[in-house]
Amino acid sequence: LTGNNNDFYTYNGGASIFNPIILNGTQYSTFSSFKTASGQTNSLNVDPLFASLSTPDFHLQSSSSLINS
């Protein structure tokens, strides 16, 4: 896996959930353990705050923590 500025977020009706990630045959049940093992220390697991999911409009709202992260 390459890259170090990703957002691993799963939308579930408004609730943030973390689906286990499998990397090189190893399953990581927490986002923290995945970040440590993969070296993706700048990656996040947050709601991106898209302008609209129903439209769809994937521009980020001004309050999104992904802006400048």
Side-chain angles (χ1 to χ4, degrees):
L1 192 65
T2 59
N4 190 18
N5 293 291
N6 300 295
D7 184 24
F8 294 89
Y9 178 78
T10 302
Y11 179 78
N12 186 24
S16 176
I17 59 172
F18 177 73
N19 290 321
I21 295 175
I22 298 174
L23 176 65
N24 298 326
T26 301
Q27 179 173 313
Y28 300 94
S29 58
T30 67
F31 187 63
S32 176
S33 64
F34 166 75
K35 283 176 57 170
T36 300
S38 66
Q40 292 206 26
T41 55
N42 293 325
S43 291
L44 302 171
N45 181 21
V46 298
D47 184 344
L49 297 178
F50 291 128
S52 173
L53 293 177
S54 60
T55 307
D57 181 349
F58 297 117
H59 290 92
L60 297 176
Q61 295 177 28
S62 61
S63 58
S64 173
S65 60
L66 298 182
I67 297 173
N68 297 323
S69 64

